[in-house]
């Protein structure tokens, strides 16, 4: 997710999650839910038949959502990143979906894979480099929609921000780009092994752009959700998008819980731009806008600045009424994204002068938890879990 970016270092033990893995797992034990889902998944399938589901209302609060997996420690959107997030105890794990040329859904934050794969090192794909306008922004690189799945599978994932997360580069080349179906199979297997559902938070990326290319995201996503029994009201999955019409479309295809994402207050969702809808995010976070969203979604995912704005210096200012207003309309809030590094923290919680060093992430988590949010996206799920335990007095 991001239209915006291990706590071991905070303890003076380096960036490895270390013993926090065990602590995070212990925290998870407070609130997990049932079994993984999928074709022939035994107990889970039986629970579905008997009407027992996996209500998002039963998740621990604050819910800790692993942003692109444990992306603070492993290259994002890899099975390695997802596995570590689960091992650390994350309550929910995020995937961003983009399509291949032949219509498969793969997990990448963007369709531009220049910075997250080794595609530039493949001479056979040199001619695929191109310049495109995606949601009105000109980008030059290599794009998933120009590759078949078989071609993408010849690439390897790498760290997106190596200057910030130098230790993550150790894992460059270790994993390939996963398909969403592979993630569903992984979640099913892990759910059976652990005896509790593996919750996913799944985003449709640039849905209007891709529909214009004949690569609509919602229909193949809905088919996969139905196949793996995650299409019901109480299935262990959230569906999310920055484009409200994508969520509206999904609401007609599946009953899975849905979340509308918000970027900055002055921005307009790209589907609104294309349709000539003048509303901005500032309009959507007003009571009238939230009432409209509550007609087809169960939650919102605002940027953290919509919960507590920052002043010109980067310090936290006066909280808005968004949490209260959203809750009044029955919507949950999953803001994004809290990271451990100084450069990503509000000025209040930065420590020292190195932008890549860890700041007071625990203090930042506490400040946002105090606003009453229901969950939060973080690149460092072990830090988030310990902060949530502190907040709940555990």
């Amino acid at each position: 997710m991001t239209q915006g970016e291990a706590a071991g270092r905070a303890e003076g033990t380096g960036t490895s999650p270390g013993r926090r893995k065990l602590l995070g797992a212990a925290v998870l034990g407070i609130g997990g839910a049932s079994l993984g889902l999928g074709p022939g998944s035994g107990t889970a399938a039986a629970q579905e038949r008997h009407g027992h589901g996996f209500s998002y209302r039963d998740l621990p609060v604050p819910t800790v959502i692993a942003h692109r997996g444990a992306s603070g420690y492993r290259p994002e959107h890899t099975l390695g990143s997802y596995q570590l997030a689960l091992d650390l105890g994350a309550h929910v794990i995020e995937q961003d979906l983009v399509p291949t040329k032949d219509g498969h859904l793969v997990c990448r934050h963007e369709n531009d894979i220049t910075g997250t794969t080794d595609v530039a090192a493949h001479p056979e794909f040199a001619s695929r480099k191109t310049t495109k306008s995606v949601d009105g922004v000109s980008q030059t690189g290599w794009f998933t929609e120009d590759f078949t799945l078989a071609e993408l599978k010849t690439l390897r994932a790498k760290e997106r921000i190596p200057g910030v997360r130098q230790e993550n580069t150790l894992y460059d080349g270790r994993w390939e780009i996963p398909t969403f179906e592979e993630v569903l199979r992984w979640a099913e297997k892990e759910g059976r092994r652990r005896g509790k559902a593996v919750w996913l938070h799944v985003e449709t990326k640039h849905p209007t752009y891709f529909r214009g290319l004949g690569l609509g995201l919602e229909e193949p996503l809905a088919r996969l959700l139905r196949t793996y029994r995650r299409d019901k009201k109480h299935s262990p999955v959230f569906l999310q998008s920055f484009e409200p019409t994508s969520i509206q479309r999904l609401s007609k295809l599946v009953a899975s819980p849905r979340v509308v994402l918000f970027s900055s207050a002055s921005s307009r969702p790209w589907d609104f731009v294309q349709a000539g809808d003048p509303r901005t995010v500032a309009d959507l976070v007003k009571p009238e806008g939230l009432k409209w969203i509550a007609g087809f979604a169960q939650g919102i995912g605002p940027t953290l600045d919509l919960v507590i704005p920052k002043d010109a210096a980067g310090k936290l200012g006066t909280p808005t009424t968004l949490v209260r207003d959203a809750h009044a309309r029955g919507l949950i809030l999953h803001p994004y994204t809290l990271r451990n590094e100084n450069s990503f923290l509000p000025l209040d919680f930065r420590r020292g002068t190195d932008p890549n060093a860890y700041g007071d992430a625990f203090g930042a988590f506490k400040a946002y938890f105090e606003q009453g949010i229901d969950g939060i996206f973080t690149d460092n799920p072990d830090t988030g879990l310990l902060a949530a335990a502190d907040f709940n007095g555990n």
Side-chain angles (χ1 to χ4, degrees), residues 59-65 300-308 319-320 322-324 326-327 331-338 364-378 388 391-392:
L59 284 167
V61 176
T63 303
V64 175
I65 306 161
I300 59 173
T303 178
L304 287 166
D305 287 346
L306 292 174
V307 177
I308 311 179
T320 68
L322 179 58
V323 176
R324 182 186 69 203
H327 282 166
L331 295 167
I332 61 171
L333 292 92
H334 288 168
Y336 67 94
T337 302
L338 213 156
F365 272 109
K366 183 173 182 289
Y368 292 111
F369 289 163
E370 287 175 340
Q371 303 310 309
I373 61 176
D374 301 279
I376 194 166
F377 286 83
T378 176
F391 183 74
N392 289 324

Side-chain angles (χ1 to χ4, degrees), residues 177-249:
I177 296 174
T179 67
F180 183 52
E181 183 161 23
E182 288 169 342
V183 172
L184 288 167
R185 290 172 180 166
W186 165 81
E188 178 186 340
K189 181 177 105 176
E190 287 293 330
R192 286 197 301 267
R193 185 168 74 86
R194 295 164 185 265
K196 62 186 66 148
V198 175
W199 278 78
L200 307 177
H201 219 301
V202 185
E203 181 181 348
T204 58
K205 300 293 297 190
H206 311 298
T208 295
Y209 167 81
F210 285 121
R211 188 162 292 276
L213 298 178
L215 293 169
L217 301 173
E218 294 84 2
E219 292 81 5
L221 172 55
R223 285 194 294 271
L224 284 170
L225 293 172
R226 287 192 289 268
T227 298
Y228 288 86
R229 298 179 181 270
R230 289 179 181 256
D231 61 319
K232 302 296 192 295
K233 178 179 179 181
H234 294 303
S235 295
V237 63
F238 295 96
L239 307 179
Q240 54 174 337
S241 183
F242 281 98
E243 297 188 18
T245 57
S246 181
I247 296 301
Q248 288 178 314
R249 190 182 299 273

